[in-house]
Amino acid sequence: KEKHKILHQLLQNSSSPVDL
Amino acid sequence: SNGDASPAVSMAELDHQAQIISKSHLETCQYLREELQQMSWENFVQDEVENYQRKPREVMWQLCAVKITEAIQYVVEFAKRIDGFMDLCQNDQIVLLKAGSLEVVFVRMCRMFDSQNNAVYFDGKFAGPDVFRALGCDDLIASVFDFAKSMCSLHLSEDELALFSAFVLLSADRSWLQEKLQVEKLQQKTQLALQHVLQKNQREDELLNKLRCKVSALRSLCSRHTEKLSAFRAVYPDIVGTRFPPLYKELFGA
């Protein structure tokens, strides 16, 4: 998990393209 | 249904899958067609081209890594909105994104590519391959441009592009997948939806084969990107470690 911390975060965020 | 992983799906389901993927693509494609049209296809002038060429190699690499990472964030968002992707185990979501997100960026590149001038939208204007000379990988850049040109020649509609992007992302033959069969089912369904849309759009039968050929071209481009990055990192380890976007480093093992 530590190795892919940011990918984990991006997958868990409920972000919209506007937020990117 | 043909084969173990192939689900029996109705036309209505394929329509639904196609609609969801097209919607996800349009919501996450970084630039809308209308925005691209407003960009007026302005090319960099010679002075600006030379300015990029004079940049130190590591500065240009950093700039491109930032642009690629931005584009990849939109691809992650696209993946999340594909029906079924978030139902995969997290290991497989990561495996698919690590292997496929740059491939989808290359597929999406044809939307921002001017075939007539052999130029791609980059850093605010349209750039030819010579803009990227400072990277020191002219062969890879030429191949990326050739790929974009050949994708453009297929004149894919947005829904066809969306489904092809999803098909690429959901490749069930990636190494390290834990639930390969689940991914296979999802990719099969996406392929059926792509075939369904191609038939509905009255595209020629061989287009699907042409698109299948693009899959191996994409893999080759991405493995060459990894090789070039390794060569760059061998010379500039600190630059990669301190100045490259963390997501880029996670994805490409830098």
Side-chain angles (χ1 to χ4, degrees), chain B residues 14 18 24 44 57 93 115 122 144 152-153 158-159 189 232:
Chain B
L14 293 181
S24 307
F44 285 116
R57 188 175 170 212
Q93 293 169 13
S115 282
F122 170 80
V144 171
C152 283
S153 72
E158 288 289 357
D159 53 355
K189 198 171 161 189
F232 175 80

Side-chain angles (χ1 to χ4, degrees), chain B residues 59-206:
Chain B
V59 172
M60 194 61 188
W61 262 87
Q62 190 190 345
L63 178 61
C64 290
V66 168
K67 299 292 178 194
I68 286 173
T69 307
E70 281 171 8
I72 283 175
Q73 282 181 273
Y74 285 86
V75 175
V76 174
E77 207 53 41
F78 170 61
K80 284 163 67 178
R81 292 166 194 225
I82 295 174
D83 217 15
F85 183 85
M86 294 307 280
D87 299 330
L88 299 172
C89 67
Q90 205 161 47
N91 172 80
D92 291 358
Q93 293 169 13
I94 286 173
V95 165
L96 294 176
L97 285 167
K98 274 195 85 161
S101 57
L102 182 59
E103 292 184 1
V104 175
V105 169
F106 287 140
V107 170
R108 287 177 159 200
M109 187 177 150
C110 68
R111 300 177 74 253
M112 321 163 57
F113 191 79
D114 175 3
S115 282
Q116 274 184 329
N117 294 308
N118 197 35
V120 67
Y121 185 75
F122 170 80
D123 210 19
K125 287 188 187 177
F126 280 82
D130 46 347
V131 165
F132 302 93
R133 196 169 296 159
L135 293 172
C137 37
D138 289 353
D139 53 339
L140 173 60
I141 296 297
S143 301
V144 171
F145 273 67
D146 286 347
F147 178 80
K149 201 169 188 173
S150 75
M151 279 298 294
C152 283
S153 72
L154 300 178
H155 301 290
L156 296 184
S157 64
E158 288 289 357
D159 53 355
E160 292 163 353
L161 203 58
L163 283 158
F164 180 58
S165 301
F167 175 77
V168 166
L169 201 57
L170 297 167
S171 295
D173 60 347
R174 307 290 192 192
S175 304
W176 316 113
L177 286 173
Q178 281 173 355
E179 295 168 2
K180 202 176 158 69
L181 194 63
Q182 289 297 107
V183 182
E184 253 172 57
K185 278 182 186 168
L186 213 48
Q187 193 187 25
Q188 282 272 8
K189 198 171 161 189
T190 307
Q191 187 186 308
L192 291 172
L194 175 59
Q195 276 172 304
H196 178 63
V197 165
L198 291 175
Q199 276 164 6
K200 239 173 49 174
N201 293 353
Q202 297 181 313
R203 303 300 305 258
E204 73 266 37
D205 294 339
E206 71 202 87

Side-chain angles (χ1 to χ4, degrees), chain A, chain B residues 27-28 70 73-74 76-77 80-81 85-86 90 93-94 97-98 246-247 250-251:
Chain A
K1 269 200 175 177
E2 203 46 39
K3 203 176 158 196
H4 301 113
K5 208 170 71 181
I6 296 162
L7 265 182
H8 272 284
Q9 275 170 11
L10 288 174
L11 285 165
Q12 274 155 13
N13 284 351
S14 55
S15 55
S16 72
V18 183
D19 304 326
L20 289 171
Chain B
E27 284 171 347
T28 62
E70 281 171 8
Q73 282 181 273
Y74 285 86
V76 174
E77 207 53 41
K80 284 163 67 178
R81 292 166 194 225
F85 183 85
M86 294 307 280
Q90 205 161 47
Q93 293 169 13
I94 286 173
L97 285 167
K98 274 195 85 161
L247 177 59
E250 261 187 32
L251 288 165

